Amino acid sequence: MDSTLPAVAEELLKEIKKAFQETSHETFFFRLKFIFGPSAVPALDLVDQRSVTRVMSPSGRTAYQVLGSSGKLYTCYSSCHFCTCPAFGFTVLQKSESLLCKHILAVYLSQAMGACQELSVSEEQLTSILLAEEEDEG
């Protein structure tokens, strides 16, 4: 995990990873909902639907793509704690009402639970994925 999340969130995600490697899951659901609020349940739904894909290039560059509940594909960067969805821009960046959007939380949870799809692409394909997001925004 990276250090852009508050320590309590980082610790909870580490505990979730440990719990999924061992046993108890229910306790962490309540903690997850307490820390991350309304994005917890939709993020778990995205993980359950296997909507998170880690896209890797031969050079080691990675990005995550999350198929949102609306059917739109969002690009997330766990390394800098960023998502291309409108909710991230509004509730996280502008209003500071949330630590993260459901897509970023789904990325962190899928990593912790070992539920992330993997996709290897060429450098050119990864560049196209990243540039496509910029073109959508511009």
Side-chain angles (χ1 to χ4, degrees), residues 6 8 16 29 33-34 38 52-54 56 62 73 76 108:
V8 67
I16 288 171
F29 172 75
K33 196 165 180 187
F34 181 77
V52 179
T53 303
R54 179 178 179 215
M56 303 166 291
T62 62
L73 200 59
C76 300
Y108 289 132

mmCIF file of all heavy atoms in Angstrom, residues 6 8 16 29 33-34 38 52-54 56 62 73 76 108:
data_model
loop_
_atom_site.group_PDB
_atom_site.id
_atom_site.type_symbol
_atom_site.label_atom_id
_atom_site.label_comp_id
_atom_site.label_asym_id
_atom_site.label_seq_id
_atom_site.Cartn_x
_atom_site.Cartn_y
_atom_site.Cartn_z
ATOM 1 N N PRO A 6 -4.866 7.845 5.085
ATOM 2 C CA PRO A 6 -4.618 7.980 6.522
ATOM 3 C C PRO A 6 -4.195 6.642 7.126
ATOM 4 O O PRO A 6 -4.569 5.576 6.635
ATOM 5 C CB PRO A 6 -5.981 8.418 7.064
ATOM 6 C CG PRO A 6 -6.674 9.046 5.900
ATOM 7 C CD PRO A 6 -6.183 8.293 4.689
ATOM 8 N N VAL A 8 -5.092 4.956 9.674
ATOM 9 C CA VAL A 8 -6.157 4.032 10.082
ATOM 10 C C VAL A 8 -6.697 3.267 8.872
ATOM 11 O O VAL A 8 -6.980 2.069 8.960
ATOM 12 C CB VAL A 8 -7.289 4.762 10.848
ATOM 13 C CG1 VAL A 8 -8.045 5.717 9.946
ATOM 14 C CG2 VAL A 8 -8.228 3.781 11.511
ATOM 15 N N ILE A 16 -7.488 -6.468 6.497
ATOM 16 C CA ILE A 16 -8.383 -7.174 5.572
ATOM 17 C C ILE A 16 -7.592 -8.216 4.792
ATOM 18 O O ILE A 16 -8.025 -9.361 4.643
ATOM 19 C CB ILE A 16 -9.078 -6.185 4.616
ATOM 20 C CG1 ILE A 16 -10.120 -5.381 5.388
ATOM 21 C CG2 ILE A 16 -9.713 -6.908 3.433
ATOM 22 C CD1 ILE A 16 -10.709 -4.235 4.612
ATOM 23 N N PHE A 29 -16.024 -6.122 7.578
ATOM 24 C CA PHE A 29 -17.055 -5.429 6.813
ATOM 25 C C PHE A 29 -17.541 -4.201 7.580
ATOM 26 O O PHE A 29 -17.672 -3.118 7.019
ATOM 27 C CB PHE A 29 -18.226 -6.361 6.506
ATOM 28 C CG PHE A 29 -19.387 -5.634 5.898
ATOM 29 C CD1 PHE A 29 -19.342 -5.218 4.573
ATOM 30 C CD2 PHE A 29 -20.509 -5.344 6.642
ATOM 31 C CE1 PHE A 29 -20.398 -4.531 4.012
ATOM 32 C CE2 PHE A 29 -21.574 -4.657 6.084
ATOM 33 C CZ PHE A 29 -21.517 -4.248 4.766
ATOM 34 N N LYS A 33 -16.988 -0.273 6.499
ATOM 35 C CA LYS A 33 -18.101 0.655 6.344
ATOM 36 C C LYS A 33 -17.920 1.876 7.253
ATOM 37 O O LYS A 33 -18.233 2.998 6.860
ATOM 38 C CB LYS A 33 -19.421 -0.042 6.626
ATOM 39 C CG LYS A 33 -20.598 0.727 6.125
ATOM 40 C CD LYS A 33 -21.840 -0.098 6.082
ATOM 41 C CE LYS A 33 -22.959 0.792 5.571
ATOM 42 N NZ LYS A 33 -24.230 0.194 5.628
ATOM 43 N N PHE A 34 -17.393 1.666 8.454
ATOM 44 C CA PHE A 34 -17.174 2.773 9.382
ATOM 45 C C PHE A 34 -16.122 3.743 8.844
ATOM 46 O O PHE A 34 -16.299 4.953 8.892
ATOM 47 C CB PHE A 34 -16.756 2.239 10.760
ATOM 48 C CG PHE A 34 -16.529 3.328 11.764
ATOM 49 C CD1 PHE A 34 -17.597 3.966 12.368
ATOM 50 C CD2 PHE A 34 -15.242 3.723 12.102
ATOM 51 C CE1 PHE A 34 -17.389 4.978 13.291
ATOM 52 C CE2 PHE A 34 -15.022 4.738 13.013
ATOM 53 C CZ PHE A 34 -16.102 5.362 13.618
ATOM 54 N N PRO A 38 -20.142 5.374 2.703
ATOM 55 C CA PRO A 38 -21.038 4.846 1.677
ATOM 56 C C PRO A 38 -20.343 4.199 0.482
ATOM 57 O O PRO A 38 -20.991 3.510 -0.291
ATOM 58 C CB PRO A 38 -21.841 6.078 1.230
ATOM 59 C CG PRO A 38 -21.061 7.257 1.666
ATOM 60 C CD PRO A 38 -20.252 6.820 2.850
ATOM 61 N N VAL A 52 -12.247 -5.278 -11.327
ATOM 62 C CA VAL A 52 -10.953 -4.599 -11.232
ATOM 63 C C VAL A 52 -9.893 -5.378 -12.016
ATOM 64 O O VAL A 52 -9.716 -6.576 -11.802
ATOM 65 C CB VAL A 52 -10.504 -4.450 -9.761
ATOM 66 C CG1 VAL A 52 -9.144 -3.766 -9.684
ATOM 67 C CG2 VAL A 52 -11.542 -3.688 -8.955
ATOM 68 N N THR A 53 -9.208 -4.676 -12.911
ATOM 69 C CA THR A 53 -8.141 -5.286 -13.711
ATOM 70 C C THR A 53 -6.864 -4.481 -13.542
ATOM 71 O O THR A 53 -6.867 -3.266 -13.725
ATOM 72 C CB THR A 53 -8.519 -5.326 -15.203
ATOM 73 O OG1 THR A 53 -9.745 -6.047 -15.353
ATOM 74 C CG2 THR A 53 -7.438 -5.992 -16.029
ATOM 75 N N ARG A 54 -5.805 -5.183 -13.199
ATOM 76 C CA ARG A 54 -4.482 -4.558 -13.137
ATOM 77 C C ARG A 54 -3.863 -4.690 -14.523
ATOM 78 O O ARG A 54 -3.672 -5.785 -15.034
ATOM 79 C CB ARG A 54 -3.619 -5.270 -12.102
ATOM 80 C CG ARG A 54 -2.236 -4.687 -11.991
ATOM 81 C CD ARG A 54 -1.455 -5.413 -10.917
ATOM 82 N NE ARG A 54 -0.116 -4.860 -10.834
ATOM 83 C CZ ARG A 54 0.948 -5.576 -10.558
ATOM 84 N NH1 ARG A 54 0.840 -6.872 -10.302
ATOM 85 N NH2 ARG A 54 2.129 -5.001 -10.507
ATOM 86 N N MET A 56 -0.670 -4.180 -16.829
ATOM 87 C CA MET A 56 0.786 -4.081 -16.670
ATOM 88 C C MET A 56 1.480 -4.081 -18.023
ATOM 89 O O MET A 56 1.083 -4.817 -18.918
ATOM 90 C CB MET A 56 1.300 -5.284 -15.889
ATOM 91 C CG MET A 56 0.674 -5.479 -14.530
ATOM 92 S SD MET A 56 1.041 -7.122 -13.872
ATOM 93 C CE MET A 56 0.082 -8.149 -14.974
ATOM 94 N N THR A 62 2.120 0.222 -14.255
ATOM 95 C CA THR A 62 0.811 -0.378 -14.015
ATOM 96 C C THR A 62 -0.244 0.700 -13.829
ATOM 97 O O THR A 62 0.040 1.812 -13.395
ATOM 98 C CB THR A 62 0.792 -1.282 -12.763
ATOM 99 O OG1 THR A 62 1.093 -0.490 -11.626
ATOM 100 C CG2 THR A 62 1.758 -2.427 -12.871
ATOM 101 N N LEU A 73 -15.702 2.428 -18.022
ATOM 102 C CA LEU A 73 -14.407 1.964 -17.550
ATOM 103 C C LEU A 73 -13.616 3.155 -17.014
ATOM 104 O O LEU A 73 -13.434 4.147 -17.719
ATOM 105 C CB LEU A 73 -13.651 1.311 -18.710
ATOM 106 C CG LEU A 73 -12.508 0.370 -18.394
ATOM 107 C CD1 LEU A 73 -12.970 -0.801 -17.532
ATOM 108 C CD2 LEU A 73 -11.896 -0.150 -19.682
ATOM 109 N N CYS A 76 -7.640 3.911 -12.621
ATOM 110 C CA CYS A 76 -7.239 4.276 -11.265
ATOM 111 C C CYS A 76 -5.738 4.051 -11.099
ATOM 112 O O CYS A 76 -5.177 3.134 -11.689
ATOM 113 C CB CYS A 76 -7.966 3.407 -10.233
ATOM 114 S SG CYS A 76 -9.749 3.536 -10.286
ATOM 115 N N TYR A 108 -7.980 -1.181 -3.988
ATOM 116 C CA TYR A 108 -7.289 -1.570 -2.757
ATOM 117 C C TYR A 108 -7.822 -2.889 -2.205
ATOM 118 O O TYR A 108 -7.056 -3.756 -1.789
ATOM 119 C CB TYR A 108 -7.409 -0.478 -1.692
ATOM 120 C CG TYR A 108 -6.605 0.765 -1.987
ATOM 121 C CD1 TYR A 108 -7.175 2.025 -1.871
ATOM 122 C CD2 TYR A 108 -5.267 0.702 -2.378
ATOM 123 C CE1 TYR A 108 -6.443 3.178 -2.132
ATOM 124 C CE2 TYR A 108 -4.529 1.837 -2.644
ATOM 125 C CZ TYR A 108 -5.125 3.081 -2.515
ATOM 126 O OH TYR A 108 -4.402 4.211 -2.780
#
